[in-house]
């Protein structure tokens, strides 16, 4: 009989993980949630806190604190465990600590017999997604990085502010590393169905505006961390959208982390690229015909990532 309920396991019940769960229960993502954290008491406390919403929210669900054994029959695992960026620290500086944490989590999930899709948000996101897939040996399509989903959402909002339109009317994309070397693929950006070049030609937005939006999108995490110590609501909502596309087999386009296998001239690691997301994870990488400058910037981003991945491999060897 076709399974009609969805089970989601969250590993890492900190600010990002619980923002995801809060968004998920509000949107009715799944019927069953299990929370796992190295701090078991925190996972229990978070489960009880979310149980308090059950009498008020419309869609029924269950939620409890659990262990890796609960992963066995899960449909989706979302990993947000790790220590977050400290003020002034780049995502890549988190490598060694979080690679070791990710290796342990990957081994525990694999040992459970899990056979679903995994979504990873822990930073440095592209590198840790690559580490997880390498350690588990899971089909690369079933491992999905948060990639540049959040970065692209930030860019859409910033460009929308310049044009005084709704962020949803802007389709603008950031590719490559979820971090400092990411690339704004403006050659593929559209606003209300028109290419952004039309708005440039009409003087409604300038090249300098676009450069500023890109730079601010990259720096947004630092802007927020400097003020409140961490970022979590934006990524929490993005993780819910990614999870929904997977659990509902939506076949939606997302800028998630997918493993490159020759696409865009790169191979062997995950990074943010346009993909079709469905029940098996990322199905197809869409190969855009980027401008020469975008191609060059994407190559530089991938070179930086590959070098970082090599450092991660040393840390977990
Ligand atoms: N991809 C993105 O766009 C994005 C955006 C924001 C934050 N992040 C990243 O998400 C991660 C979590 O950030 P946060 O603010 O929630 O941090 P946090 O410190 O609030 O939460 C991290 C949680 O992970 C748990 N944890 C640590 N080691 C663990 C282990 N081995 N097994 C299980 N749980 C473990 C901690 O106990 C804690 O509850 C960080 O790496 C952060 O950089 C990613």
């Amino acid at each position: 009989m076709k399974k009609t309920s969805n089970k989601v396991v969250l590993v890492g019940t900190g600010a990002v993980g619980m923002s995801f769960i809060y968004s998920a229960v509000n949107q009715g993502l799944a019927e069953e949630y299990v929370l796992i954290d190295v701090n078991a008491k925190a996972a229990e406390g978070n489960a009880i806190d979310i149980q308090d919403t059950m009498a008020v929210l419309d869609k029924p669900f269950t939620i409890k604190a659990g262990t890796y054994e609960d992963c066995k029959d899960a449909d989706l695992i979302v990993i947000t465990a790790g220590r977050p960026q400290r003020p002034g620290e780049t995502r890549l500086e988190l490598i060694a600590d979080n690679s070791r944490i990710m290796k342990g989590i990957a081994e525990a999930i694999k040992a459970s017999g899990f056979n679903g899709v995994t979504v990873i948000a822990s930073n440095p996101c592209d590198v840790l997604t690559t580490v997880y897939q390498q350690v588990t040996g899971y089909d690369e399509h079933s491992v999905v990085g948060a990639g540049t989903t959040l970065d692209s959402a930030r860019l859409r909002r910033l460009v929308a502010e310049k044009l005084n339109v709704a962020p949803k009317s802007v389709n603008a994309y950031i590719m490559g590393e979820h971090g400092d070397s990411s690339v704004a693929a403006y050659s593929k950006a559209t606003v209300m169905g028109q290419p952004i070049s039309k708005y440039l030609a009409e003087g409604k937005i300038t090249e300098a505006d676009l450069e500023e939006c890109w730079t601010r999108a990259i720096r947004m995490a630092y802007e927020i961390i400097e003020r409140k110590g961490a970022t979590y609501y934006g990524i929490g909502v993005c993780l819910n959208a990614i999870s929904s596309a997977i659990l509902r087999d939506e076949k939606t386009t997302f800028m998630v982390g997918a493993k490159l296998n020759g696409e865009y001239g790169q191979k062997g690691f995950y990074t943010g690229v346009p993909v079709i997301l469905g029940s098996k994870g990322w199905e197809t990488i869409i190969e855009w015909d980027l401008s020469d400058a975008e191609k060059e910037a994407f190559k530089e981003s991938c070179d930086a990532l590959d070098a970082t991945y090599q450092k991660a491999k040393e840390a977990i060897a």
Side-chain angles (χ1 to χ4, degrees), residues 195-247:
I196 198 104
S197 55
K198 189 166 185 295
Y199 295 82
L200 281 167
E202 290 170 357
K204 291 183 175 146
I205 196 162
T206 65
E207 293 282 359
D209 288 332
L210 293 182
E211 185 75 25
E212 184 196 320
C213 292
W214 176 13
T215 310
R216 266 200 83 198
I218 291 175
R219 302 291 310 166
M220 194 64 77
Y222 299 105
E223 268 190 44
I224 300 169
I225 289 168
E226 203 182 284
R227 287 165 172 81
K228 55 176 266 192
T231 84
Y232 35 88
Y233 298 128
I235 183 63
V237 167
C238 288
L239 287 172
N240 182 58
I242 292 169
S243 302
S244 175
I246 294 166
L247 293 177

Side-chain angles (χ1 to χ4, degrees), residues 49 62 81 101 122-123 132 153 202 212 247 278 283 306 314 316:
D49 202 359
T62 64
I101 290 174
S122 315
N123 277 322
Y132 177 89
E202 290 170 357
E212 184 196 320
L247 293 177
E283 296 182 353
D306 198 20
E314 282 166 28
I316 59 167

Side-chain angles (χ1 to χ4, degrees), residues 11-17 37-39 68 80-85 94 98 101 105 121-123 125 146 150 178 230-231 235:
V11 182
T13 65
V16 171
D37 200 288
V38 72
N39 180 349
Y68 285 100
T80 62
R83 71 164 180 83
Q85 265 168 287
L94 285 170
N98 281 353
I101 290 174
I105 292 169
S122 315
N123 277 322
C125 189
L150 175 60
H178 167 59
T231 84
I235 183 63

Side-chain angles (χ1 to χ4, degrees), residues 3-78:
K3 194 165 171 278
T4 53
S5 67
N6 286 313
K7 178 175 180 181
V8 173
V9 174
L10 170 72
V11 182
T13 65
V16 171
M18 290 316 297
S19 297
F20 157 62
I21 292 290
Y22 186 67
S23 177
V25 296
N26 272 286
Q27 299 282 323
L29 175 74
E31 286 69 35
E32 196 179 346
Y33 301 92
V34 178
L35 307 182
I36 299 176
D37 200 288
V38 72
N39 180 349
K41 272 200 171 311
E44 280 169 22
N46 277 313
I48 299 166
D49 202 359
I50 295 290
Q51 283 164 5
D52 284 350
T53 68
M54 290 167 85
V56 182
L57 290 175
D58 290 336
K59 299 244 174 85
F61 63 89
T62 64
I63 185 162
K64 64 166 191 175
T67 67
Y68 285 100
E69 280 187 18
D70 290 291
C71 296
K72 188 177 168 52
D73 60 347
D75 301 284
L76 182 77
I77 297 178
V78 177

Side-chain angles (χ1 to χ4, degrees), residues 287-306:
E287 274 207 82
W288 281 335
D289 184 18
L290 298 172
S291 71
D292 287 348
E294 289 164 358
K295 276 184 202 157
E296 185 52 34
F298 185 75
K299 184 184 174 305
E300 279 171 25
S301 184
C302 288
D303 287 348
L305 271 177
D306 198 20

